[in-house]
Amino acid sequence: MADTGTGRITARRLRTRAHLLDAAFTVFAAKGFGHASIEEICEAAGYTRGAFYSNFAGLDELFFALYAQRADLIAEQVTGALASDGPDLDVAAAVDRVSEVLLLDRDWLLVKTDFLVHAARDPRVAHTLLDHRARLRRAVADRLERARGHTALPAVLGDAEGAAHAVVAAYDGVTAQLLLDRDVERARAWLRQLLTALLIGRSPR
């Protein structure tokens, strides 16, 4: 019986944390990290400050938890899109899949940009952000490396690690444009063109 009770408490805390993260996402996207308060996030989530502090030490910790949640989702999307071809890799088909599933949400990009600026001013935060970006690159590089001998990449990219850097840079460029023009369909089409040119060495038909 005690174990069951602990399970209920754990599940409740997980729900509270998830609701706080969802509320924080909405508040950060609307107001920006530097202009949001704990009180506003608690009000949006329907919780007290006590509930907030039982899950997060402060806004920095919550902000990073939110970033980590979305960064993990993007890594999973990329890994899943690249994993469908078995030992071989149909680069053109994989590019199509990545372009279709990759998270291109403008509210997330606003939050991500706030986090990038925050990290640029705090070496500790920058180090953690670099770790997450490296994990995304590794997910791409590992898949490309497994396809070596089956799939040729343009020599200009060097190795699989170089190709992974190019893929992440293309995503960064597309998302920066999306912040300004708000055109998701155009962003997906542009991402597909960039990735095709990078990984196949030609423009898509």
Side-chain angles (χ1 to χ4, degrees):
M1 294 296 292
D3 289 341
T4 303
T6 302
R8 285 199 300 269
I9 293 171
T10 301
R12 188 182 306 120
R13 287 199 63 176
L14 289 174
R15 285 195 299 272
T16 299
R17 183 180 176 88
H19 290 157
L20 285 166
L21 286 170
D22 288 344
F25 178 79
T26 301
V27 173
F28 286 148
K31 302 194 67 173
F33 173 69
H35 300 284
S37 68
I38 291 174
E39 289 76 11
E40 288 171 319
I41 292 169
C42 290
E43 182 178 353
Y47 291 112
T48 63
R49 286 175 63 92
F52 179 95
Y53 283 114
S54 71
N55 286 276
F56 302 103
L59 283 178
D60 273 6
E61 184 178 318
L62 181 147
F63 196 46
F64 181 74
L66 183 62
Y67 177 86
Q69 180 188 69
R70 297 302 172 105
D72 287 346
L73 172 61
I74 291 171
E76 289 171 8
Q77 289 173 330
V78 170
T79 301
L82 293 175
S84 302
D85 297 317
D88 297 323
L89 181 63
D90 182 337
V91 177
V95 164
D96 284 341
R97 290 194 300 269
V98 169
S99 301
E100 285 302 315
V101 305
L102 199 56
L103 183 66
L104 288 174
D105 176 73
R106 190 171 180 274
D107 284 345
W108 157 240
L109 297 177
L110 288 169
V111 174
K112 175 189 169 187
T113 302
D114 271 348
F115 192 83
L116 179 62
V117 173
H118 180 52
R121 294 190 172 98
D122 186 329
R124 177 185 57 84
V125 179
H127 178 75
T128 310
L129 177 57
L130 286 170
D131 281 347
H132 276 273
R133 288 174 63 83
R135 194 144 61 93
L136 175 59
R137 288 197 306 272
R138 282 196 301 272
V140 177
D142 287 350
R143 183 62 186 94
L144 295 176
E145 186 65 31
R146 289 199 303 273
R148 290 186 69 178
H150 302 279
T151 304
L153 295 173
V156 69
L157 295 176
D159 55 11
E161 183 69 22
H165 272 275
V167 168
V168 174
Y171 176 69
D172 287 341
V174 167
T175 54
Q177 182 69 23
L178 178 58
L179 275 174
L180 301 176
D181 66 20
R182 302 168 183 251
D183 190 336
V184 175
E185 291 307 312
R186 182 182 178 189
R188 291 202 184 280
W190 188 27
L191 181 62
R192 179 174 177 271
Q193 289 175 325
L194 285 174
L195 294 181
T196 300
L198 283 168
L199 299 178
I200 304 177
R202 59 174 173 78
S203 298
R205 288 178 296 180

